[in-house]
Amino acid sequence: MNKKLLSIAMLMLMLMLSLALTACGGGNKAAENGGNAASAETETAAEGVMLFANNGSEPGTLDPALAQGTHESYLLNHMFTGLLRYDKEGNLVPGVAEDMPTVSEDGLTYTFKIKDGLKWSNDDPITAKDFEFSWLRVLNPETASYYAYQLYYVKGGQAYNEVERPGVYYVKDADGNDTDEVDHEVTITEADKEGLDLEGKSEEEIADAVYASWLEKARANVGIKAEDDKTLVVTLENPSPFFQDLTAFYTLYPVNQKVVEANPDWAKDASTHVSNGAFKLNKWEHNSYVETVKNPNWIDADEVKLGGITWEIMEDINTAYQNFDTGKYGIEVDPPTEVLAQLIEKQDPRVVIGEQVGNYYYSLNNLVAPEGVNPFTNANIRKAFSMALDRKSIVENITKGGQTAAEGLVPFGLLDENGAEWRTTNGNLIKEDPVEAKKLLEQGLKELGITVEDLNDLVLLYNTSESHKKIAQAVQQQWKVNLGVTINLENADFNVKLAREKVHDFDISRGGWVGDYSDPMTMMDLFVTGGPYNDAGYSNPEYDKLIETAKTSPDQKVRMDAMRQAELILMEDMPIIPVYFYTQPYLVQENIKGIYKPLLQYPILTYAEVQ
């Protein structure tokens, strides 16, 4: 129902029930707004206020091992708790661990002790063995976790994750299907068969048995061991000072071993979902809303005032803002840019400009096209498209939320070996010059033997959002004016966009990355050859070598110098076009207190209180 058609009485009813209704065994009578409100029959929380918020896209999963975006982590950060977590001041503090980890003198061994008496939402005890199981599950190649590489810092982690089943592997097409082109083959030697009972087995059964043997051996060498129910010992490949930060990252959240092993689909339905965070899943109406309720078993449950949080799946940010403005939502993340600019100008007390470590960029498909010519295989054309943009006009006239024009890949907020701002020490690597851009474009076209008219079929893909659309339109216009290229625009559901990026089915795609931990590596390792989030398909051996140095050296200066050089190479090759560095503007109702935003996460609603 359109908001304009709601009566004053209905608006008042919606306001009272959304922000002030406490559960007394009754239902949630929040009024329908925008055609996507939670059902009027939805049960309210057992105690306290049910806070309403919006989530811009349907979560692809509520399994920490499989999640890959903020549309999932926003919810997971409230439903799970890692060994460490971020407190109300945004500091890294013990979560499930009873204290910060003990680290060996050589920086390779981390020992975590689990707090006494902790329980899962289903009352099972939480143990160190759950963490061993969970992290090994992430690394298991059968899990297919996109974020498994975050555990490559652990001894043997990468080797385990990269075990492949014997057989022939083919190059995938744009739809993710095998082509006739062989990529590589994994073969079995006689040594691989030793000790296995293979008599009378078919070739497929032998392959299965050998693969299982490889997995078992690789798994045994991973440096993740639960010595007992309370002690988790983690051994790293190389000293990685930021490793403890990763234990607060959602991929490393624990899952209940007993539940997961009993039901592979445990995370797909509220009736089987088990978690250990401040809130537990109560209802999940797909593409409509996710309702959570307070988890009395959480480590700090006594401090949680809310009875629960309901996230409506709301892609239309204008409708989401209407829901906030009428009082239905207690918080709205990333409001419409025009509205935000007006509220900032009026110094509206509901506006919060949260700090963020993130980069908004466009991925350029660097891979050679199976048919025809892909212009973005040419570095001069890639640089021309970047150089032709006026980033300052985008942040000042479109985003309007305190964002800053990108100066490279690594955003502000991360420090170097001396505790100085890393971005400042490596300088501004972005050059904007429409005249030079036109020259580079002409040079690149000549090198490929194509004309500027051949670029007019290019398509810029972005996930459905009014903000992304406006930025794409501005970029489209700037390229038309400065380069004489008229590209096309295409929007898609966020999960569809992610799927297309994984198989490189795009010309230009709206990308973005929010840091996972407090080190420049959280941005830099995205673009190594074959990286799971290297959607551009970029490959440069020198870049890879420098990143490997930065990952393996115990010397902080050597690490940082390697990453500085790597960023210079990346910005010279320009496989992506950085546009701006994120902030995270959000709106909070004046009568709601206790919401805070860590630098590396979305706002945390756990301690919110309606006054």
Side-chain angles (χ1 to χ4, degrees), residues 321 334-346 351-353 399-403 583 585-587:
Y321 172 70
D334 296 329
T337 54
E338 292 180 1
V339 171
L340 179 64
Q342 294 171 2
L343 296 178
I344 291 175
E345 185 177 353
K346 295 177 181 177
V351 177
V352 181
I353 304 296
T399 62
K400 302 179 182 179
Q403 298 88 350
T583 58
Y586 59 99
L587 309 177

Side-chain angles (χ1 to χ4, degrees), residues 503-567:
V503 295
H504 310 289
D505 180 20
F506 65 89
D507 299 317
I508 309 166
S509 184
R510 198 290 301 180
W513 193 259
V514 175
D516 302 326
Y517 50 91
S518 298
D519 188 273
M521 185 61 74
T522 193
M523 309 297 296
M524 296 300 300
D525 66 357
L526 292 177
F527 299 102
V528 296
T529 301
Y533 289 95
N534 182 358
D535 299 325
Y538 173 65
S539 180
N540 184 314
E542 183 62 23
Y543 182 87
D544 294 347
K545 182 178 178 181
L546 288 165
I547 296 303
E548 182 64 19
T549 297
K551 282 188 171 184
T552 58
S553 174
D555 188 314
Q556 280 292 81
K557 187 176 189 311
V558 171
R559 291 186 66 249
M560 295 295 172
D561 282 346
M563 287 189 283
R564 291 185 184 102
Q565 294 176 50
E567 190 186 35

Side-chain angles (χ1 to χ4, degrees), residues 1-3 6 31-37 314 319 322-323 328:
M1 183 182 296
N2 190 291
K3 182 175 77 72
L6 292 172
E32 187 174 325
N33 189 8
N36 201 21
M314 183 64 65
T319 302
Q322 291 171 8
N323 286 346
K328 181 178 185 182

Side-chain angles (χ1 to χ4, degrees), residues 337-527:
T337 54
E338 292 180 1
V339 171
L340 179 64
Q342 294 171 2
L343 296 178
I344 291 175
E345 185 177 353
K346 295 177 181 177
Q347 298 184 333
D348 193 306
R350 299 175 298 172
V351 177
V352 181
I353 304 296
E355 294 184 340
Q356 184 100 298
V357 173
N359 192 326
Y360 187 107
Y361 58 83
Y362 287 114
S363 294
L364 305 176
N365 191 336
N366 287 215
L367 300 179
V368 175
E371 297 179 4
V373 177
N374 175 11
F376 295 127
T377 58
N378 185 278
N380 284 319
I381 293 178
R382 297 196 299 266
K383 288 188 284 187
F385 271 68
S386 173
M387 201 175 289
L389 292 187
D390 180 355
R391 294 161 176 82
K392 185 177 180 181
S393 70
I394 291 174
V395 298
E396 289 183 352
N397 301 319
I398 300 176
T399 62
K400 302 179 182 179
Q403 298 88 350
T404 57
E407 297 184 6
L409 173 64
V410 179
F412 291 98
L414 300 173
L415 305 181
D416 66 9
E417 71 274 22
N418 299 313
E421 178 64 60
W422 199 90
R423 176 71 272 141
T424 300
T425 60
N426 215 32
N428 186 348
L429 305 182
I430 300 294
K431 182 179 180 181
E432 297 178 359
D433 185 338
V435 175
E436 181 65 20
K438 195 69 176 291
K439 293 179 181 178
L440 285 173
L441 179 64
E442 291 172 354
Q443 182 178 341
L445 294 173
K446 183 177 180 180
E447 291 167 350
L448 292 178
I450 60 176
T451 67
V452 70
E453 286 75 19
D454 293 320
L455 305 184
N456 291 334
D457 290 332
L458 293 173
V459 177
L460 188 160
L461 175 68
Y462 64 92
N463 51 294
T464 304
S465 160
E466 191 64 26
S467 296
H468 296 326
K469 178 181 178 180
K470 289 181 179 179
I471 295 169
Q473 289 173 334
V475 168
Q476 179 188 47
Q477 180 64 19
Q478 290 183 15
W479 284 337
K480 181 177 181 179
V481 171
N482 295 331
L483 296 178
V485 177
T486 303
I487 65 165
N488 303 293
L489 305 182
E490 179 186 1
N491 71 292
D493 173 82
F494 191 28
N495 290 316
V496 172
K497 182 188 82 81
L498 289 176
R500 288 180 57 181
E501 287 172 333
K502 294 310 170 211
V503 295
H504 310 289
D505 180 20
F506 65 89
D507 299 317
I508 309 166
S509 184
R510 198 290 301 180
W513 193 259
V514 175
D516 302 326
Y517 50 91
S518 298
D519 188 273
M521 185 61 74
T522 193
M523 309 297 296
M524 296 300 300
D525 66 357
L526 292 177
F527 299 102

Side-chain angles (χ1 to χ4, degrees), residues 139 148-149 151-163 222 237 548 551:
L139 286 169
Y149 74 92
L151 282 166
Y152 283 6
Y153 302 104
V154 175
K155 182 180 178 181
Q158 183 171 359
Y160 179 37
N161 185 244
E162 292 181 348
V163 173
V222 178
E237 290 279 7
E548 182 64 19
K551 282 188 171 184

